[in-house]
Amino acid sequence: MTVSSPPRVLTVAGSDSGGGAGIQADLKTMLALGVHGMSVIAAVTAQNSVGVQGYWELPPEAVRAQLGSVLGDIGVQAVKTGMLASPVLVETVSEVLAGVGAPVVVDPVGVSKHGDALLAPEAVETVKARLLPVATVVTPNLWEVSQLTGVKVESEADLRKAADAILELGPAWALIKGGHLPGAPTDLLTDGTREFRFTAERHDNRHTHGTGCTLASAIASHLALGEDVPSAVEKAKEYVTGAIARGFPLGAGIGPVDHAWRWRG
């Protein structure tokens, strides 16, 4: 019997010891969507449902070696980046990904769900100058839009202005996540010419840890499965909305979204 290999997706991010976000969320999402997930760990966090107690970056040579091992032997159909922590790690990852022909989904992680910083302030300019220009899709939330561009999004009418400001930094597509605005959660996707808006039901559930990581990984997974960017975003939005609806309590704080909601449903 001949067994074919599933599409391969690589996440380059931080480890979440609580299992709700980061590398752990990425790999769960990839498995749920039928692709083979691989990982390059850029940092390790001590993290649980109430916050991030600390994080430690890996040396750039360790990150570069992990990238070389995966890309040089196994290869990828898509890449997702998350927490990269420092300027030198952003530079290292950006340099390698500039030579990869697969689509790259950048989640420009700045803070955790609990408000804990996961990106050094001095790394923001490096993200703008080095990482965003190699991105196929960038997926900032409203706080990250402000951090990267200075644009403040106060209503759905501001989403396109925010997207245009992100596009000026070099990615092919910008997906501005509007979930923190009042009303139905609306995300805006554009390449500067075409524009798509994705809405979903708002679920009254505080257990949403890992939402951003999960969405970006789902987009990368669907790109690896052959979808174009708008279709990949649409399907990823559907998946993460279901995961938010089924988010469950864990520990004393904010629990994770349920990456296995389709299996459990």
Side-chain angles (χ1 to χ4, degrees), residues 113 141-143 153-154 177-187 202 208 211:
K113 178 68 69 178
N141 60 30
L142 303 187
W143 186 91
V153 178
E154 297 178 340
K177 299 180 292 190
H180 291 106
L181 293 173
T186 299
D187 302 337
R202 184 177 295 280
T208 57
T211 304

Side-chain angles (χ1 to χ4, degrees), residues 32-110:
L33 296 179
V35 300
H36 174 69
M38 304 168 291
S39 62
V40 168
I41 298 176
V44 175
T45 71
Q47 185 173 170
N48 54 27
S49 70
V50 297
V52 178
Q53 290 75 49
Y55 75 79
W56 299 264
E57 303 160 25
L58 268 70
E61 58 268 26
V63 173
R64 187 181 293 275
Q66 292 176 80
L67 284 163
S69 292
V70 174
L71 297 173
D73 174 47
I74 302 172
V76 294
Q77 272 77 53
V79 180
K80 177 261 179 179
T81 71
M83 175 190 178
L84 298 180
S86 68
V88 66
L89 291 183
V90 174
E91 289 178 1
T92 300
V93 172
S94 301
E95 179 184 339
V96 174
L97 294 186
V100 173
V104 176
V105 180
V106 171
D107 181 12
V109 175

Side-chain angles (χ1 to χ4, degrees), residues 232-244:
V233 171
E234 180 179 25
K235 292 186 175 183
K237 174 87 169 177
E238 177 187 0
Y239 170 73
V240 79
T241 299
I244 291 170

Side-chain angles (χ1 to χ4, degrees), residues 156-252:
E156 189 177 332
D158 297 327
L159 291 176
R160 181 56 192 259
K161 178 174 67 174
D164 288 340
I166 291 290
L167 289 175
E168 288 180 6
L169 299 174
W173 292 83
L175 175 66
I176 310 300
K177 299 180 292 190
H180 291 106
L181 293 173
T186 299
D187 302 337
L188 183 143
L189 173 71
T190 182
D191 63 354
T193 302
R194 293 169 289 173
E195 179 179 304
F196 305 85
R197 290 179 187 253
F198 303 96
T199 60
E201 180 183 356
R202 184 177 295 280
H203 296 285
D204 184 18
N205 186 354
R206 68 188 292 260
H207 302 301
T208 57
H209 186 49
T211 304
C213 305
T214 300
L215 178 66
S217 294
I219 294 170
S221 297
H222 283 296
L223 290 173
L225 288 164
E227 303 289 349
D228 61 16
V229 170
S231 178
V233 171
E234 180 179 25
K235 292 186 175 183
K237 174 87 169 177
E238 177 187 0
Y239 170 73
V240 79
T241 299
I244 291 170
R246 294 291 296 272
F248 52 85
L250 204 67

